[in-house]
Amino acid sequence: MKHRIVVLGAGYAGAHTAGNLARRLSPADTEITVVNAEPDFVQRLRLHQFAAGQEIETRKLADVFAGTGIRLRLARVTAVDPVRQVVSVADAEGEGELGYDTLIYALGSHVADGGVPGVAEDAFDVTGRPSALRLRERLDSLNRRGEGGSVLVVGDGLTGIETATEIAESRLRLSVTLVARGELGARLSAGARSHLRQACDRLGITVLEHTSVEAVEATRVLCADGTALASDATVWTAGFAVDPIAAAGGLEVTGNGQIVVDRTMRSVSHPNVYAVGDSAYTIGDNGRPLPMSCASAGYTSMQAIAAIVARLTGRKISHTKLEYVGNHISLGRRDGILQMVDDEGVAKPKYVGGRKAARIKSGILKASLWATSHPTFGMPKRRRRLAAAPDTSVA
């Protein structure tokens, strides 16, 4: 009987992991199934552009995995049972179960409301294509009114900054306000912070610093200091969390739902389950948790691949890098910031800004799309057979 590998999610981390396992493991011994709710590979890192009104390239997952031997199941994951080693799924035809021997959990993250009333009901976000489309349609309706409108972006992390600048550049008739809990760009170097402020000024973005939002309503947000800010579209980017499916299944998770893993990306509570990307809570080489990001998706994916292949084929597990070297921030289509960080995660004094940084960010995104669209590129003629007794021990 073949060893069943099931990958939940086909984002950057899931598609990369599935493709590389198909490259390295013999199909005579393994079968790989990818479960994803959407038929397309979605470039999450470009969803703020999509919401702003730009056309973003997508790839059909059926085409991505064609010829790889990977089975694609278009369905929504509803539950995970690591004791029975089954995944519950639902699609247009009903509900069903998939059994597995090794599970890779790569369902990513979604917006976290932080307990703020009204976020789920009245705020928009850009964490998925459906939600980004909802925001896009709202911005379109504001443009059609002929009298403009106000957009309030809550959260000054990378997603908030990119969303605010993209909307301000693409939707000239709308006024954009960026709400920061602390100082805008506090984690950037002094020069990069200055560059960011200049970009916001150039794009006409109003920045409200040291402002905490306590409630979101359909036409305004309420701040901790009693201020009410009018808003025709409130975009919430103040934090992310992982779907509670993992926690409900009994896997050990953190407070925001991330699966706690060891150095090889294996669940500390269930050795047949691995987590990659935003779904994984892992400590980087600098002793700090890796942040949710595309870069972390790549590093955690590479480590999981190395560990799974080694354990199944009876080889020694190699440790790949788990590091976070910097941030690439787009400020519209023609400006950006490339900010490198040191081993402690502190911004280095120097940064790259302007068109050069924008080109670097664009190149990274294009390379990521190409790599995801060619998951078995360079596939060897001989792939590794499984050991007679694959290592599934906890150590």
Side-chain angles (χ1 to χ4, degrees), residues 260-268 274-276 280-288 290 299-308 311 317-323 394-395:
V260 182
V261 297
D262 63 15
R263 183 56 176 75
T264 68
M265 301 302 113
R266 186 162 63 168
S267 164
V268 297
Y274 293 77
V276 293
Y281 177 82
T282 184
I283 303 301
D285 295 337
N286 63 356
R288 300 170 181 271
L290 286 181
Y299 285 122
T300 56
S301 174
M302 287 187 286
Q303 180 58 79
I305 293 163
I308 292 169
R311 287 192 172 107
I317 298 174
S318 60
H319 284 177
T320 62
K321 291 182 179 180
L322 293 178
E323 58 183 0
V394 176

Side-chain angles (χ1 to χ4, degrees), residues 48-275:
H48 61 288
Q49 295 175 238
F50 177 72
Q54 300 167 32
E55 295 305 320
I56 305 303
E57 184 178 5
T58 60
R59 299 287 172 85
K60 293 291 183 184
L61 289 173
D63 296 333
V64 168
F65 295 130
T68 65
I70 295 171
R71 301 178 179 182
L72 176 62
R73 176 71 183 271
L74 295 178
R76 180 172 53 88
V77 178
T78 58
V80 172
D81 186 339
V83 176
R84 295 173 52 225
Q85 293 187 197
V86 297
V87 176
S88 299
V89 299
D91 56 23
E93 298 180 357
E95 300 180 350
E97 288 187 339
L98 291 174
Y100 67 83
D101 299 299
T102 296
L103 180 70
I104 297 101
Y105 193 105
L107 291 177
S109 62
H110 57 78
V111 70
D113 61 20
V116 176
V119 171
E121 297 81 9
D122 295 316
F124 297 85
D125 69 81
V126 292
T127 59
R129 186 176 175 85
S131 59
L133 177 60
R134 177 171 165 263
L135 173 58
R136 177 176 176 144
E137 292 171 344
R138 177 57 175 164
L139 299 181
D140 286 342
S141 71
L142 294 178
N143 275 346
R144 287 194 296 268
R145 291 194 321 184
E147 56 188 47
S150 59
V151 178
L152 199 66
V153 180
V154 181
D156 65 324
L158 304 189
T159 302
I161 292 170
E162 292 192 329
T163 301
T165 53
E166 203 73 51
I167 293 175
E169 182 178 271
S170 300
R171 306 276 185 161
L172 299 180
R173 301 175 67 179
L174 303 178
S175 64
V176 178
T177 298
L178 178 59
V179 179
R181 181 181 289 272
E183 179 187 5
L184 177 64
R187 296 184 180 180
L188 300 175
S189 63
R193 285 198 303 274
S194 177
H195 187 100
L196 173 57
R197 289 182 180 278
Q198 292 174 19
C200 289
D201 290 342
R202 172 175 56 81
L203 293 168
I205 298 171
T206 300
V207 178
L208 299 179
E209 298 179 297
H210 307 290
T211 302
S212 178
V213 173
E214 289 198 336
V216 176
E217 297 178 356
T219 59
R220 65 178 186 171
V221 300
L222 305 179
C223 302
D225 62 2
T227 304
L229 303 173
S231 175
D232 294 304
T234 299
V235 187
W236 192 265
T237 67
F240 303 95
V242 174
D243 195 285
I245 288 175
L251 291 159
E252 183 173 337
V253 301
T254 62
N256 69 351
Q258 287 181 294
I259 298 172
V260 182
V261 297
D262 63 15
R263 183 56 176 75
T264 68
M265 301 302 113
R266 186 162 63 168
S267 164
V268 297
S269 60
H270 295 82
N272 290 339
V273 178
Y274 293 77

